[in-house]
Amino acid sequence: MSIAELSEQEIIRRNSLQELRNMGVEPYPQAGYDVNVTTQDIRDSFDPEKGNFQQVSIAGRVMSRRIMGKASFAELMDEKGRIQLYFNRDEMCPGEDKSLYNEVFKKHLDIGDFIGVKGHAFITQMGEKSIFVKEFTLLSKSLRVLPIVKEKDGVIYDAFTDAEQRYRQRYVDLVVNPQVKDVFIKRAKIINTMREMFNERGYLEVETPILQAIPGGAAARPFITHHNALNIPLYLRVANELYLKRLIVGGFDGVYEFAKDFRNEGMDRTHNPEFTVMEIYVAYKDYFWMMEFTEQMLEKVAMALHGTTKVKIGEKEVDFKAPYRRLTMLDAIKEHTGIDISGMNEDQLRNVCKDLHIEVDATFGKGKMIDEIFGEKCEHHMIQPTFIIDYPVEMSPLCKKHRNNPELTERFELMVNGKELCNAYTELNDPIDQLERFQDQLKLSEKGDDEAMFIDLDFVRALEYGMPPTSGMGIGIDRLTMFMTGQESIQDVLFFPQMRPEKKAKTATPEDFVKIGVPEAWAEHVIKAGYASVEKLQEEKATQIHQKLNGYRKKNKLEITALQLDEVEKWIL
RNA sequence: GAUUCAGUAGCUCAGUCGGUAGAGCACAUCCCUUUUAAGGAUGGGGUCCUGGGUUCGAAUCCCAGCUGGAUCACCA
């Protein structure tokens, strides 16, 4: 990196780095640092009457400094929070040499540096629990300036809020916005709670392929890649459903996977190209059983996270206490439109759509029209957890037909806060029916539906060997985390949401200018004087460049030889 | 993909009618023995997102582009 690209403060920090080395202080020491306490331990448990925490050793990042002559205060932040440090010159440097305090601490320590300190806990005159520092060690120097965020009585000053920077440089976001960490700690807790529950019941956590030759299990556009050695296209999975069911065929009675899926579709507040889904399949169960399982699971997660089943989502309070309401799709439509569509044929449905001002075109079948009516008129009303059950068969090619009505399937989606959270089936295990459903998808594909499912003949073959009755359920972990933590954007529950790559501002280096004949002493200053590229410089007349650069030399009192015009003329030839 | 808003110092933001770019924090220098958004004084720091255009003159007006946000569309 050329010095020309650094800000004033960054240059100062690099100079400090060198000064420290000159003094024999290594800014990036190899040795570890023994830590025997966290900031939280001291905040929670320090009691001067008990006289505890009198030999503490703690490490973290310096987040603020207040220097007043021989005494100074600083804030140290570790993973658990912050604590104030008190530095006193004569305590730290009992002898004649005061350089550890005067030079290392006062001059060359910056906000963002990692240090380790040893000392004892005490309470200041202002009543704040603090550490009286006897010894300190620089553990790692920070060369970039962190945003400064201050807080007083819950009011945050100068918050680091720029969404683009927060997502691109999540590490900075996490350092200065502690509430961000909290969302991700909760996310881990959600996943752990679910995993513990599944393991207690004896279900097996498994891993299945992400690179798939046939991207099955969901209607979605896949990412495509290429395997060189096999010389075949491979797809990033859009779902893991078909692999998990193969494992049920193989004799496992309960399998689950926390899986990253990938869909090459639009991005918005609720969609990221890669996202996490938990799918679970349990043998000898049907979708009624799975509804009970799902509501128990969510109740448990809410309790583990909040100690209550009631969760605030925006202005609304959602109660995850089981059991949840069950409503068939047709009843939901009846409830919210007053129209009973059961038994209607395609033309009748088309008229209903027209009456409800729902746009449909000629290609829409019955299933798709029913789905449209539900999406337009019902979905957003489902604030409290509600199981919507019994979907039209056209929409669910992997789901078993309804035991009482062949036009429907035994499927449920769990709606929360007007959005889909879970999707589950009594799984289709009739291989002949499955093949026909795949063939129907192929017809859709031939009509131009680029999201129709591929035919997976190996999956059909697996079903031909026999799969026990099985129920399966999938739940979006990102969306669940959004609900459980009150975040409105998926970007706030992913550490590194997908972003368009940062464009490197193409800036010339001094070497580029040296190549066209610019003296080395001048190269850096040519850039600083405003010539961002060689081309830019060569567009101008030699006389103009000559004047501008010598003017720059004079203005900045540079101690380098002034340029001659004939010299400059040679650069632009 | 459409509409719309935004992009100015390391960070958060002002910037009037088009007339040489401002504040707070951070930073530097000096002074200062326990401060709490927290010492005081002084000072330095800018590709006003990029490229065109209009103009004597553009951070400001116009056009195009880049990046991000929001809304909508698409998306089980």
Side-chain angles (χ1 to χ4, degrees):
Chain A
M1 185 180 290
S2 134
I3 206 94
E5 296 166 32
L6 295 174
S7 73
E8 183 194 27
Q9 291 190 50
E10 287 173 313
I11 292 166
I12 289 166
R13 288 186 178 213
R14 273 160 208 257
N15 290 342
S16 283
L17 187 77
Q18 194 52 51
E19 287 290 323
L20 287 166
R21 287 212 163 107
N22 293 346
M23 295 171 68
V25 176
E26 172 52 47
Y28 301 105
Q30 287 81 1
Y33 194 86
D34 286 330
V35 171
N36 64 14
V37 70
T38 68
T39 57
Q40 188 173 25
D41 297 333
I42 299 175
R43 281 196 312 274
D44 291 352
S45 314
F46 173 56
D47 181 347
E49 292 192 1
K50 285 187 193 154
N52 52 0
F53 297 113
Q54 293 309 292
Q55 299 258 313
V56 302
S57 178
I58 191 167
R61 217 188 255 277
V62 176
M63 295 306 284
S64 75
R65 293 197 310 155
R66 300 185 286 277
I67 295 174
M68 283 150 305
K70 282 189 281 185
S72 298
F73 290 87
E75 248 183 325
L76 185 80
M77 181 169 81
D78 69 4
E79 195 192 4
K80 302 292 184 188
R82 300 184 180 205
I83 190 120
Q84 178 169 270
L85 304 180
Y86 172 69
F87 291 84
N88 181 295
R89 187 186 70 193
D90 299 325
E91 293 287 339
M92 281 171 66
C93 311
E96 285 301 303
D97 181 8
K98 305 295 185 190
S99 65
L100 181 65
Y101 182 77
N102 284 338
E103 299 297 316
V104 178
F105 175 77
K106 270 171 68 173
K107 278 212 164 77
H108 301 311
L109 197 68
D110 289 295
I111 291 174
D113 291 354
F114 283 89
I115 61 171
V117 306
K118 291 187 186 1
H120 63 266
F122 78 111
I123 292 186
T124 63
Q125 287 175 13
M126 299 302 292
E128 180 161 343
K129 288 177 183 174
S130 308
I131 296 173
F132 192 108
V133 177
K134 287 273 171 43
E135 215 186 300
F136 98 95
T137 311
L138 177 59
L139 299 177
S140 179
K141 185 102 194 97
S142 164
L143 295 182
R144 280 187 191 257
V145 186
L146 285 171
I148 306 296
V149 180
K150 294 192 177 176
E151 181 263 327
K152 161 82 170 173
D153 299 333
V155 183
I156 293 174
Y157 299 83
D158 299 330
F160 179 61
T161 51
D162 183 83
E164 182 171 2
Q165 290 197 72
R166 286 186 50 228
Y167 300 144
R168 285 196 197 280
Q169 300 186 53
R170 180 68 89 184
Y171 35 89
V172 175
D173 190 31
L174 289 164
V175 170
V176 302
N177 293 331
Q179 68 285 3
V180 174
K181 253 188 187 165
D182 206 48
V183 171
F184 292 96
I185 292 169
K186 286 192 172 129
R187 182 182 172 118
K189 189 154 196 178
I190 290 168
I191 292 172
N192 287 339
T193 303
M194 290 168 67
R195 179 175 278 135
E196 278 163 22
M197 174 179 171
F198 303 157
N199 288 346
E200 266 169 31
R201 294 183 178 227
Y203 306 145
L204 185 71
E205 180 162 16
V206 299
E207 294 175 271
T208 62
I210 292 171
L211 289 173
Q212 302 180 346
I214 298 171
R221 271 185 301 228
F223 285 92
I224 185 163
T225 184
H226 184 264
H227 190 280
N228 290 340
L230 294 175
N231 193 24
I232 52 164
L234 284 175
Y235 301 87
L236 271 62
R237 69 176 166 206
V238 294
N240 52 356
E241 171 159 356
L242 302 186
Y243 283 93
L244 292 175
K245 285 198 266 197
R246 283 172 170 99
L247 296 178
I248 298 292
V249 169
F252 291 109
D253 285 347
V255 290
Y256 71 92
E257 180 174 15
F258 287 93
K260 269 283 180 75
D261 287 346
F262 305 84
R263 297 187 183 176
N264 203 345
E265 289 165 355
M267 291 165 60
D268 60 30
R269 217 173 61 250
T270 55
H271 296 84
N272 193 65
E274 59 180 288
F275 58 103
T276 305
V277 173
M278 194 294 301
E279 288 196 42
I280 183 164
Y281 291 81
V282 184
Y284 313 115
K285 308 295 185 192
D286 61 14
Y287 77 143
F288 291 116
W289 179 89
M290 188 58 86
M291 277 186 254
E292 285 178 25
F293 181 80
T294 301
E295 61 198 8
Q296 285 168 25
M297 177 187 83
L298 290 173
E299 184 180 313
K300 205 167 184 138
V301 167
M303 285 301 291
L305 224 56
H306 301 109
T308 163
T309 55
K310 295 186 169 72
V311 177
K312 268 238 144 100
I313 301 178
E315 296 296 294
K316 301 172 194 104
E317 187 179 79
V318 172
D319 192 346
F320 283 99
K321 176 128 193 75
Y324 307 154
R325 187 177 183 209
R326 283 122 165 99
L327 191 62
T328 68
M329 193 172 229
L330 298 184
D331 284 343
I333 290 171
K334 200 193 291 179
E335 185 170 308
H336 291 284
T337 66
I339 302 169
D340 184 357
I341 59 167
S342 54
M344 282 192 182
N345 63 29
E346 201 169 314
D347 289 336
Q348 288 170 309
L349 275 172
R350 208 169 291 280
N351 283 329
V352 169
C353 287
K354 213 165 152 190
D355 292 345
L356 295 172
H357 307 289
I358 294 167
E359 278 186 43
V360 289
D361 65 54
T363 67
F364 281 29
K366 277 175 68 173
K368 189 137 187 183
M369 282 192 281
I370 293 171
D371 189 41
E372 282 294 315
I373 296 170
F374 179 78
E376 282 293 317
K377 297 293 172 190
C378 308
E379 202 171 82
H380 58 278
H381 294 293
M382 313 285 168
I383 301 303
Q384 296 305 319
T386 308
F387 289 116
I388 299 298
I389 65 175
D390 301 347
Y391 283 63
V393 66
E394 297 89 334
M395 298 163 55
S396 316
L398 303 169
C399 183
K400 193 178 271 191
K401 279 181 185 151
H402 196 275
R403 57 195 77 181
N404 301 324
N405 182 344
E407 294 201 339
L408 300 177
T409 53
E410 296 205 348
R411 170 179 182 178
F412 73 77
E413 288 193 355
L414 178 64
M415 312 301 298
V416 177
N417 197 31
K419 302 206 175 63
E420 176 199 339
L421 180 61
C422 304
N423 185 21
Y425 308 147
T426 299
E427 300 296 335
L428 176 55
N429 62 347
D430 173 344
I432 294 171
D433 190 1
Q434 181 65 77
L435 183 58
E436 284 169 6
R437 304 269 200 103
F438 273 143
Q439 280 160 345
D440 290 342
Q441 291 291 307
L442 185 64
K443 281 178 204 146
L444 286 178
S445 170
E446 281 161 356
K447 269 171 41 184
D449 183 347
D450 56 1
E451 289 178 348
M453 289 186 196
F454 293 50
I455 297 186
D456 188 333
L457 288 175
D458 175 70
F459 176 67
V460 175
R461 178 167 64 190
L463 293 187
E464 285 168 356
Y465 282 102
M467 182 172 89
T470 298
S471 185
M473 185 264 290
I475 178 167
I477 296 298
D478 308 298
R479 204 168 276 186
L480 177 62
T481 306
M482 287 168 67
F483 286 148
M484 288 288 175
T485 62
Q487 300 301 312
E488 291 188 353
S489 167
I490 198 169
Q491 296 175 113
D492 291 317
V493 300
L494 300 171
F495 274 127
F496 303 105
Q498 193 58 244
M499 302 285 275
R500 203 177 282 276
E502 264 181 285
K503 251 215 312 239
K504 254 191 278 172
K506 211 191 122 223
T507 47
T509 64
E511 291 73 49
D512 294 333
F513 287 97
V514 171
K515 272 183 210 152
I516 60 163
V518 177
E520 270 181 45
W522 267 100
E524 185 183 298
H525 300 294
V526 170
I527 296 169
K528 279 192 171 172
Y531 295 105
S533 70
V534 172
E535 292 73 29
K536 268 253 169 74
L537 177 127
Q538 289 177 328
E539 276 167 20
E540 288 192 20
K541 285 181 188 155
T543 46
Q544 211 176 345
I545 300 166
H546 178 239
Q547 281 185 15
K548 193 162 163 183
L549 288 179
N550 279 335
Y552 181 87
R553 170 178 172 273
K554 198 168 176 184
K555 189 178 158 200
N556 291 285
K557 301 188 175 106
L558 299 180
E559 306 216 335
I560 49 180
T561 337
L563 292 161
Q564 300 301 313
L565 182 58
D566 59 340
E567 218 180 331
V568 176
E569 276 169 346
K570 284 177 200 152
W571 302 350
I572 55 177
L573 289 177

